[in-house]
PDB file of all heavy atoms in Angstrom:
ATOM      1  N   THR A  19       1.794   4.520   7.544  1.00 96.00           N
ATOM      2  CA  THR A  19       1.561   5.475   8.621  1.00 96.00           C
ATOM      3  C   THR A  19       0.591   6.509   8.077  1.00 96.00           C
ATOM      4  O   THR A  19       0.802   7.064   6.987  1.00 96.00           O
ATOM      5  CB  THR A  19       2.868   6.161   9.071  1.00 96.00           C
ATOM      6  OG1 THR A  19       3.798   5.156   9.470  1.00 96.00           O
ATOM      7  CG2 THR A  19       2.599   7.107  10.231  1.00 96.00           C
ATOM      8  N   PHE A  20      -0.474   6.750   8.834  1.00 96.00           N
ATOM      9  CA  PHE A  20      -1.513   7.680   8.407  1.00 96.00           C
ATOM     10  C   PHE A  20      -1.392   9.018   9.120  1.00 96.00           C
ATOM     11  O   PHE A  20      -0.669   9.144  10.114  1.00 96.00           O
ATOM     12  CB  PHE A  20      -2.896   7.053   8.656  1.00 96.00           C
ATOM     13  CG  PHE A  20      -3.171   5.889   7.757  1.00 96.00           C
ATOM     14  CD1 PHE A  20      -2.803   4.601   8.128  1.00 96.00           C
ATOM     15  CD2 PHE A  20      -3.767   6.074   6.520  1.00 96.00           C
ATOM     16  CE1 PHE A  20      -3.029   3.518   7.296  1.00 96.00           C
ATOM     17  CE2 PHE A  20      -3.988   4.995   5.671  1.00 96.00           C
ATOM     18  CZ  PHE A  20      -3.626   3.717   6.061  1.00 96.00           C
ATOM     19  N   ALA A  21      -2.120  10.016   8.625  1.00 94.00           N
ATOM     20  CA  ALA A  21      -2.049  11.386   9.140  1.00 94.00           C
ATOM     21  C   ALA A  21      -2.362  11.474  10.624  1.00 94.00           C
ATOM     22  O   ALA A  21      -1.833  12.334  11.319  1.00 94.00           O
ATOM     23  CB  ALA A  21      -2.987  12.289   8.341  1.00 94.00           C
ATOM     24  N   ASN A  22      -3.197  10.562  11.115  1.00 93.00           N
ATOM     25  CA  ASN A  22      -3.564  10.603  12.534  1.00 93.00           C
ATOM     26  C   ASN A  22      -2.562   9.857  13.413  1.00 93.00           C
ATOM     27  O   ASN A  22      -2.771   9.695  14.600  1.00 93.00           O
ATOM     28  CB  ASN A  22      -4.964  10.025  12.742  1.00 93.00           C
ATOM     29  CG  ASN A  22      -5.061   8.558  12.401  1.00 93.00           C
ATOM     30  OD1 ASN A  22      -4.107   7.942  11.947  1.00 93.00           O
ATOM     31  ND2 ASN A  22      -6.236   7.984  12.606  1.00 93.00           N
ATOM     32  N   GLY A  23      -1.463   9.364  12.814  1.00 93.00           N
ATOM     33  CA  GLY A  23      -0.437   8.662  13.553  1.00 93.00           C
ATOM     34  C   GLY A  23      -0.627   7.155  13.614  1.00 93.00           C
ATOM     35  O   GLY A  23       0.276   6.436  14.045  1.00 93.00           O
ATOM     36  N   GLU A  24      -1.782   6.675  13.188  1.00 95.00           N
ATOM     37  CA  GLU A  24      -2.010   5.221  13.201  1.00 95.00           C
ATOM     38  C   GLU A  24      -1.095   4.536  12.210  1.00 95.00           C
ATOM     39  O   GLU A  24      -0.805   5.064  11.142  1.00 95.00           O
ATOM     40  CB  GLU A  24      -3.461   4.896  12.839  1.00 95.00           C
ATOM     41  CG  GLU A  24      -4.426   5.065  13.973  1.00 95.00           C
ATOM     42  CD  GLU A  24      -5.792   4.531  13.596  1.00 95.00           C
ATOM     43  OE1 GLU A  24      -5.964   3.299  13.581  1.00 95.00           O
ATOM     44  OE2 GLU A  24      -6.672   5.370  13.300  1.00 95.00           O
ATOM     45  N   ARG A  25      -0.652   3.336  12.586  1.00 97.00           N
ATOM     46  CA  ARG A  25       0.177   2.518  11.709  1.00 97.00           C
ATOM     47  C   ARG A  25      -0.578   1.235  11.414  1.00 97.00           C
ATOM     48  O   ARG A  25      -1.117   0.602  12.298  1.00 97.00           O
ATOM     49  CB  ARG A  25       1.515   2.238  12.381  1.00 97.00           C
ATOM     50  CG  ARG A  25       2.289   3.541  12.623  1.00 97.00           C
ATOM     51  CD  ARG A  25       3.615   3.325  13.317  1.00 97.00           C
ATOM     52  NE  ARG A  25       4.484   2.543  12.447  1.00 97.00           N
ATOM     53  CZ  ARG A  25       5.265   1.567  12.893  1.00 97.00           C
ATOM     54  NH1 ARG A  25       5.291   1.233  14.166  1.00 97.00           N
ATOM     55  NH2 ARG A  25       6.038   0.895  12.053  1.00 97.00           N
ATOM     56  N   LYS A  26      -0.619   0.899  10.127  1.00 97.00           N
ATOM     57  CA  LYS A  26      -1.357  -0.286   9.697  1.00 97.00           C
ATOM     58  C   LYS A  26      -0.547  -1.059   8.676  1.00 97.00           C
ATOM     59  O   LYS A  26       0.373  -0.509   8.059  1.00 97.00           O
ATOM     60  CB  LYS A  26      -2.715   0.090   9.106  1.00 97.00           C
ATOM     61  CG  LYS A  26      -3.650   0.728  10.126  1.00 97.00           C
ATOM     62  CD  LYS A  26      -5.057   0.806   9.597  1.00 97.00           C
ATOM     63  CE  LYS A  26      -5.989   1.357  10.665  1.00 97.00           C
ATOM     64  NZ  LYS A  26      -7.368   1.077  10.371  1.00 97.00           N
ATOM     65  N   VAL A  27      -0.924  -2.310   8.479  1.00 98.00           N
ATOM     66  CA  VAL A  27      -0.322  -3.138   7.453  1.00 98.00           C
ATOM     67  C   VAL A  27      -1.417  -3.543   6.474  1.00 98.00           C
ATOM     68  O   VAL A  27      -2.530  -3.887   6.883  1.00 98.00           O
ATOM     69  CB  VAL A  27       0.396  -4.362   8.055  1.00 98.00           C
ATOM     70  CG1 VAL A  27      -0.545  -5.286   8.765  1.00 98.00           C
ATOM     71  CG2 VAL A  27       1.193  -5.099   6.998  1.00 98.00           C
ATOM     72  N   PHE A  28      -1.113  -3.427   5.186  1.00 98.00           N
ATOM     73  CA  PHE A  28      -2.069  -3.764   4.138  1.00 98.00           C
ATOM     74  C   PHE A  28      -1.469  -4.872   3.289  1.00 98.00           C
ATOM     75  O   PHE A  28      -0.365  -4.725   2.746  1.00 98.00           O
ATOM     76  CB  PHE A  28      -2.351  -2.530   3.278  1.00 98.00           C
ATOM     77  CG  PHE A  28      -3.428  -2.754   2.256  1.00 98.00           C
ATOM     78  CD1 PHE A  28      -4.763  -2.605   2.591  1.00 98.00           C
ATOM     79  CD2 PHE A  28      -3.102  -3.106   0.955  1.00 98.00           C
ATOM     80  CE1 PHE A  28      -5.752  -2.810   1.642  1.00 98.00           C
ATOM     81  CE2 PHE A  28      -4.081  -3.321   0.004  1.00 98.00           C
ATOM     82  CZ  PHE A  28      -5.414  -3.171   0.359  1.00 98.00           C
ATOM     83  N   ASP A  29      -2.176  -5.977   3.174  1.00 98.00           N
ATOM     84  CA  ASP A  29      -1.714  -7.140   2.421  1.00 98.00           C
ATOM     85  C   ASP A  29      -2.086  -6.984   0.948  1.00 98.00           C
ATOM     86  O   ASP A  29      -3.256  -6.967   0.584  1.00 98.00           O
ATOM     87  CB  ASP A  29      -2.355  -8.399   3.000  1.00 98.00           C
ATOM     88  CG  ASP A  29      -1.807  -9.680   2.404  1.00 98.00           C
ATOM     89  OD1 ASP A  29      -0.962  -9.617   1.491  1.00 98.00           O
ATOM     90  OD2 ASP A  29      -2.232 -10.749   2.867  1.00 98.00           O
ATOM     91  N   MET A  30      -1.070  -6.902   0.096  1.00 98.00           N
ATOM     92  CA  MET A  30      -1.296  -6.738  -1.341  1.00 98.00           C
ATOM     93  C   MET A  30      -1.481  -8.055  -2.078  1.00 98.00           C
ATOM     94  O   MET A  30      -1.906  -8.057  -3.235  1.00 98.00           O
ATOM     95  CB  MET A  30      -0.106  -5.983  -1.959  1.00 98.00           C
ATOM     96  CG  MET A  30      -0.082  -4.509  -1.680  1.00 98.00           C
ATOM     97  SD  MET A  30      -1.484  -3.636  -2.414  1.00 98.00           S
ATOM     98  CE  MET A  30      -1.265  -3.981  -4.159  1.00 98.00           C
ATOM     99  N   LYS A  31      -1.178  -9.184  -1.445  1.00 98.00           N
ATOM    100  CA  LYS A  31      -1.217 -10.471  -2.150  1.00 98.00           C
ATOM    101  C   LYS A  31      -2.549 -10.749  -2.853  1.00 98.00           C
ATOM    102  O   LYS A  31      -2.535 -11.227  -3.989  1.00 98.00           O
ATOM    103  CB  LYS A  31      -0.849 -11.607  -1.191  1.00 98.00           C
ATOM    104  CG  LYS A  31       0.648 -11.601  -0.831  1.00 98.00           C
ATOM    105  CD  LYS A  31       1.075 -12.747   0.017  1.00 98.00           C
ATOM    106  CE  LYS A  31       0.643 -12.701   1.440  1.00 98.00           C
ATOM    107  NZ  LYS A  31       1.102 -11.590   2.239  1.00 98.00           N
ATOM    108  N   PRO A  32      -3.707 -10.444  -2.266  1.00 97.00           N
ATOM    109  CA  PRO A  32      -4.968 -10.725  -2.973  1.00 97.00           C
ATOM    110  C   PRO A  32      -5.154  -9.906  -4.259  1.00 97.00           C
ATOM    111  O   PRO A  32      -5.979 -10.249  -5.100  1.00 97.00           O
ATOM    112  CB  PRO A  32      -6.042 -10.345  -1.950  1.00 97.00           C
ATOM    113  CG  PRO A  32      -5.371 -10.401  -0.631  1.00 97.00           C
ATOM    114  CD  PRO A  32      -3.948 -10.010  -0.892  1.00 97.00           C
ATOM    115  N   TYR A  33      -4.383  -8.847  -4.436  1.00 96.00           N
ATOM    116  CA  TYR A  33      -4.540  -7.961  -5.588  1.00 96.00           C
ATOM    117  C   TYR A  33      -3.549  -8.265  -6.718  1.00 96.00           C
ATOM    118  O   TYR A  33      -3.670  -7.718  -7.812  1.00 96.00           O
ATOM    119  CB  TYR A  33      -4.385  -6.501  -5.147  1.00 96.00           C
ATOM    120  CG  TYR A  33      -5.363  -6.133  -4.076  1.00 96.00           C
ATOM    121  CD1 TYR A  33      -5.046  -6.307  -2.732  1.00 96.00           C
ATOM    122  CD2 TYR A  33      -6.630  -5.656  -4.399  1.00 96.00           C
ATOM    123  CE1 TYR A  33      -5.958  -5.998  -1.742  1.00 96.00           C
ATOM    124  CE2 TYR A  33      -7.544  -5.346  -3.416  1.00 96.00           C
ATOM    125  CZ  TYR A  33      -7.207  -5.524  -2.088  1.00 96.00           C
ATOM    126  OH  TYR A  33      -8.107  -5.225  -1.109  1.00 96.00           O
ATOM    127  N   LEU A  34      -2.559  -9.107  -6.457  1.00 98.00           N
ATOM    128  CA  LEU A  34      -1.463  -9.314  -7.401  1.00 98.00           C
ATOM    129  C   LEU A  34      -1.837 -10.106  -8.645  1.00 98.00           C
ATOM    130  O   LEU A  34      -1.018 -10.265  -9.536  1.00 98.00           O
ATOM    131  CB  LEU A  34      -0.273  -9.967  -6.691  1.00 98.00           C
ATOM    132  CG  LEU A  34       0.353  -9.117  -5.582  1.00 98.00           C
ATOM    133  CD1 LEU A  34       1.498  -9.890  -4.918  1.00 98.00           C
ATOM    134  CD2 LEU A  34       0.837  -7.775  -6.094  1.00 98.00           C
ATOM    135  N   ASP A  35      -3.063 -10.596  -8.733  1.00 97.00           N
ATOM    136  CA  ASP A  35      -3.535 -11.291  -9.936  1.00 97.00           C
ATOM    137  C   ASP A  35      -4.565 -10.456 -10.698  1.00 97.00           C
ATOM    138  O   ASP A  35      -5.257 -10.973 -11.557  1.00 97.00           O
ATOM    139  CB  ASP A  35      -4.156 -12.643  -9.564  1.00 97.00           C
ATOM    140  CG  ASP A  35      -3.097 -13.652  -9.161  1.00 97.00           C
ATOM    141  OD1 ASP A  35      -1.985 -13.587  -9.711  1.00 97.00           O
ATOM    142  OD2 ASP A  35      -3.379 -14.485  -8.287  1.00 97.00           O
ATOM    143  N   LYS A  36      -4.659  -9.172 -10.361  1.00 96.00           N
ATOM    144  CA  LYS A  36      -5.676  -8.311 -10.945  1.00 96.00           C
ATOM    145  C   LYS A  36      -5.036  -7.135 -11.700  1.00 96.00           C
ATOM    146  O   LYS A  36      -4.256  -6.379 -11.150  1.00 96.00           O
ATOM    147  CB  LYS A  36      -6.591  -7.774  -9.847  1.00 96.00           C
ATOM    148  CG  LYS A  36      -7.369  -8.854  -9.130  1.00 96.00           C
ATOM    149  CD  LYS A  36      -8.175  -8.285  -7.997  1.00 96.00           C
ATOM    150  CE  LYS A  36      -9.060  -9.216  -7.262  1.00 96.00           C
ATOM    151  NZ  LYS A  36      -8.740 -10.571  -7.116  1.00 96.00           N
ATOM    152  N   GLY A  37      -5.393  -7.005 -12.966  1.00 96.00           N
ATOM    153  CA  GLY A  37      -5.047  -5.838 -13.777  1.00 96.00           C
ATOM    154  C   GLY A  37      -3.603  -5.385 -13.647  1.00 96.00           C
ATOM    155  O   GLY A  37      -2.667  -6.184 -13.686  1.00 96.00           O
ATOM    156  N   ILE A  38      -3.448  -4.090 -13.487  1.00 96.00           N
ATOM    157  CA  ILE A  38      -2.120  -3.476 -13.423  1.00 96.00           C
ATOM    158  C   ILE A  38      -1.311  -3.957 -12.221  1.00 96.00           C
ATOM    159  O   ILE A  38      -0.085  -3.921 -12.222  1.00 96.00           O
ATOM    160  CB  ILE A  38      -2.238  -1.929 -13.433  1.00 96.00           C
ATOM    161  CG1 ILE A  38      -0.893  -1.294 -13.766  1.00 96.00           C
ATOM    162  CG2 ILE A  38      -2.807  -1.421 -12.119  1.00 96.00           C
ATOM    163  CD1 ILE A  38      -0.975   0.174 -14.087  1.00 96.00           C
ATOM    164  N   PHE A  39      -2.009  -4.449 -11.193  1.00 98.00           N
ATOM    165  CA  PHE A  39      -1.313  -4.922  -9.991  1.00 98.00           C
ATOM    166  C   PHE A  39      -0.496  -6.189 -10.256  1.00 98.00           C
ATOM    167  O   PHE A  39       0.397  -6.519  -9.478  1.00 98.00           O
ATOM    168  CB  PHE A  39      -2.298  -5.148  -8.843  1.00 98.00           C
ATOM    169  CG  PHE A  39      -2.970  -3.881  -8.407  1.00 98.00           C
ATOM    170  CD1 PHE A  39      -4.316  -3.690  -8.637  1.00 98.00           C
ATOM    171  CD2 PHE A  39      -2.253  -2.878  -7.784  1.00 98.00           C
ATOM    172  CE1 PHE A  39      -4.939  -2.518  -8.245  1.00 98.00           C
ATOM    173  CE2 PHE A  39      -2.856  -1.699  -7.382  1.00 98.00           C
ATOM    174  CZ  PHE A  39      -4.206  -1.513  -7.618  1.00 98.00           C
ATOM    175  N   ARG A  40      -0.759  -6.883 -11.365  1.00 98.00           N
ATOM    176  CA  ARG A  40       0.045  -8.068 -11.725  1.00 98.00           C
ATOM    177  C   ARG A  40       1.532  -7.711 -11.830  1.00 98.00           C
ATOM    178  O   ARG A  40       2.391  -8.517 -11.492  1.00 98.00           O
ATOM    179  CB  ARG A  40      -0.430  -8.661 -13.049  1.00 98.00           C
ATOM    180  CG  ARG A  40      -1.734  -9.373 -12.959  1.00 98.00           C
ATOM    181  CD  ARG A  40      -2.088 -10.014 -14.301  1.00 98.00           C
ATOM    182  NE  ARG A  40      -3.421 -10.564 -14.236  1.00 98.00           N
ATOM    183  CZ  ARG A  40      -4.416 -10.224 -15.041  1.00 98.00           C
ATOM    184  NH1 ARG A  40      -4.217  -9.369 -16.014  1.00 98.00           N
ATOM    185  NH2 ARG A  40      -5.603 -10.771 -14.888  1.00 98.00           N
ATOM    186  N   GLU A  41       1.801  -6.510 -12.323  1.00 98.00           N
ATOM    187  CA  GLU A  41       3.189  -6.064 -12.480  1.00 98.00           C
ATOM    188  C   GLU A  41       3.920  -5.968 -11.142  1.00 98.00           C
ATOM    189  O   GLU A  41       5.151  -5.994 -11.101  1.00 98.00           O
ATOM    190  CB  GLU A  41       3.232  -4.723 -13.202  1.00 98.00           C
ATOM    191  CG  GLU A  41       2.711  -4.792 -14.624  1.00 98.00           C
ATOM    192  CD  GLU A  41       2.635  -3.428 -15.285  1.00 98.00           C
ATOM    193  OE1 GLU A  41       3.449  -2.537 -14.941  1.00 98.00           O
ATOM    194  OE2 GLU A  41       1.760  -3.249 -16.144  1.00 98.00           O
ATOM    195  N   LEU A  42       3.165  -5.860 -10.065  1.00 98.00           N
ATOM    196  CA  LEU A  42       3.773  -5.717  -8.742  1.00 98.00           C
ATOM    197  C   LEU A  42       4.272  -7.048  -8.186  1.00 98.00           C
ATOM    198  O   LEU A  42       4.923  -7.080  -7.141  1.00 98.00           O
ATOM    199  CB  LEU A  42       2.785  -5.072  -7.767  1.00 98.00           C
ATOM    200  CG  LEU A  42       2.285  -3.689  -8.167  1.00 98.00           C
ATOM    201  CD1 LEU A  42       1.314  -3.160  -7.121  1.00 98.00           C
ATOM    202  CD2 LEU A  42       3.432  -2.725  -8.391  1.00 98.00           C
ATOM    203  N   ARG A  43       3.999  -8.148  -8.890  1.00 98.00           N
ATOM    204  CA  ARG A  43       4.572  -9.438  -8.477  1.00 98.00           C
ATOM    205  C   ARG A  43       6.099  -9.400  -8.596  1.00 98.00           C
ATOM    206  O   ARG A  43       6.792 -10.139  -7.911  1.00 98.00           O
ATOM    207  CB  ARG A  43       3.997 -10.575  -9.312  1.00 98.00           C
ATOM    208  CG  ARG A  43       2.555 -10.867  -8.947  1.00 98.00           C
ATOM    209  CD  ARG A  43       2.039 -12.052  -9.694  1.00 98.00           C
ATOM    210  NE  ARG A  43       1.642 -11.624 -11.041  1.00 98.00           N
ATOM    211  CZ  ARG A  43       0.990 -12.369 -11.899  1.00 98.00           C
ATOM    212  NH1 ARG A  43       0.673 -13.615 -11.603  1.00 98.00           N
ATOM    213  NH2 ARG A  43       0.654 -11.908 -13.077  1.00 98.00           N
ATOM    214  N   ASP A  44       6.594  -8.547  -9.477  1.00 98.00           N
ATOM    215  CA  ASP A  44       8.035  -8.304  -9.587  1.00 98.00           C
ATOM    216  C   ASP A  44       8.427  -7.467  -8.361  1.00 98.00           C
ATOM    217  O   ASP A  44       8.011  -6.309  -8.228  1.00 98.00           O
ATOM    218  CB  ASP A  44       8.346  -7.552 -10.870  1.00 98.00           C
ATOM    219  CG  ASP A  44       9.811  -7.206 -11.042  1.00 98.00           C
ATOM    220  OD1 ASP A  44      10.590  -7.237 -10.057  1.00 98.00           O
ATOM    221  OD2 ASP A  44      10.189  -6.872 -12.181  1.00 98.00           O
ATOM    222  N   MET A  45       9.205  -8.058  -7.459  1.00 98.00           N
ATOM    223  CA  MET A  45       9.539  -7.386  -6.199  1.00 98.00           C
ATOM    224  C   MET A  45      10.212  -6.036  -6.436  1.00 98.00           C
ATOM    225  O   MET A  45       9.999  -5.096  -5.672  1.00 98.00           O
ATOM    226  CB  MET A  45      10.419  -8.292  -5.333  1.00 98.00           C
ATOM    227  CG  MET A  45      10.724  -7.733  -3.946  1.00 98.00           C
ATOM    228  SD  MET A  45       9.278  -7.280  -2.924  1.00 98.00           S
ATOM    229  CE  MET A  45       8.586  -8.891  -2.585  1.00 98.00           C
ATOM    230  N   ARG A  46      11.003  -5.920  -7.503  1.00 98.00           N
ATOM    231  CA  ARG A  46      11.632  -4.626  -7.781  1.00 98.00           C
ATOM    232  C   ARG A  46      10.581  -3.554  -8.032  1.00 98.00           C
ATOM    233  O   ARG A  46      10.720  -2.418  -7.570  1.00 98.00           O
ATOM    234  CB  ARG A  46      12.591  -4.726  -8.959  1.00 98.00           C
ATOM    235  CG  ARG A  46      13.857  -5.515  -8.621  1.00 98.00           C
ATOM    236  CD  ARG A  46      14.676  -5.731  -9.847  1.00 98.00           C
ATOM    237  NE  ARG A  46      13.863  -6.590 -10.734  1.00 98.00           N
ATOM    238  CZ  ARG A  46      14.243  -7.067 -11.873  1.00 98.00           C
ATOM    239  NH1 ARG A  46      15.410  -6.777 -12.353  1.00 98.00           N
ATOM    240  NH2 ARG A  46      13.454  -7.856 -12.576  1.00 98.00           N
ATOM    241  N   MET A  47       9.523  -3.901  -8.758  1.00 98.00           N
ATOM    242  CA  MET A  47       8.446  -2.944  -9.003  1.00 98.00           C
ATOM    243  C   MET A  47       7.656  -2.689  -7.714  1.00 98.00           C
ATOM    244  O   MET A  47       7.301  -1.562  -7.404  1.00 98.00           O
ATOM    245  CB  MET A  47       7.518  -3.453 -10.111  1.00 98.00           C
ATOM    246  CG  MET A  47       6.393  -2.486 -10.457  1.00 98.00           C
ATOM    247  SD  MET A  47       6.932  -0.865 -11.049  1.00 98.00           S
ATOM    248  CE  MET A  47       7.524  -1.308 -12.669  1.00 98.00           C
ATOM    249  N   PHE A  48       7.379  -3.751  -6.962  1.00 98.00           N
ATOM    250  CA  PHE A  48       6.631  -3.594  -5.714  1.00 98.00           C
ATOM    251  C   PHE A  48       7.346  -2.622  -4.771  1.00 98.00           C
ATOM    252  O   PHE A  48       6.715  -1.782  -4.133  1.00 98.00           O
ATOM    253  CB  PHE A  48       6.443  -4.956  -5.031  1.00 98.00           C
ATOM    254  CG  PHE A  48       5.594  -4.876  -3.802  1.00 98.00           C
ATOM    255  CD1 PHE A  48       4.238  -4.639  -3.889  1.00 98.00           C
ATOM    256  CD2 PHE A  48       6.165  -5.044  -2.556  1.00 98.00           C
ATOM    257  CE1 PHE A  48       3.446  -4.557  -2.748  1.00 98.00           C
ATOM    258  CE2 PHE A  48       5.386  -4.964  -1.407  1.00 98.00           C
ATOM    259  CZ  PHE A  48       4.023  -4.714  -1.513  1.00 98.00           C
ATOM    260  N   LYS A  49       8.661  -2.708  -4.740  1.00 98.00           N
ATOM    261  CA  LYS A  49       9.449  -1.870  -3.825  1.00 98.00           C
ATOM    262  C   LYS A  49       9.500  -0.401  -4.263  1.00 98.00           C
ATOM    263  O   LYS A  49      10.031   0.429  -3.529  1.00 98.00           O
ATOM    264  CB  LYS A  49      10.871  -2.417  -3.701  1.00 98.00           C
ATOM    265  CG  LYS A  49      10.946  -3.755  -3.009  1.00 98.00           C
ATOM    266  CD  LYS A  49      10.866  -3.586  -1.522  1.00 98.00           C
ATOM    267  CE  LYS A  49      11.121  -4.913  -0.843  1.00 98.00           C
ATOM    268  NZ  LYS A  49      11.534  -4.766   0.522  1.00 98.00           N
TER     269      LYS A  49
END
Side-chain angles (χ1 to χ4, degrees):
T19 303
F20 291 89
N22 65 357
E24 280 188 76
R25 297 179 64 221
K26 295 192 176 198
V27 63
F28 186 85
D29 187 357
M30 284 295 300
K31 288 184 287 299
Y33 303 89
L34 297 178
D35 287 327
K36 297 176 176 31
I38 196 168
F39 296 111
R40 287 184 187 122
E41 296 175 30
L42 301 180
R43 288 184 279 189
D44 178 343
M45 185 55 69
R46 289 173 295 184
M47 182 60 72
F48 185 70
K49 293 280 187 159

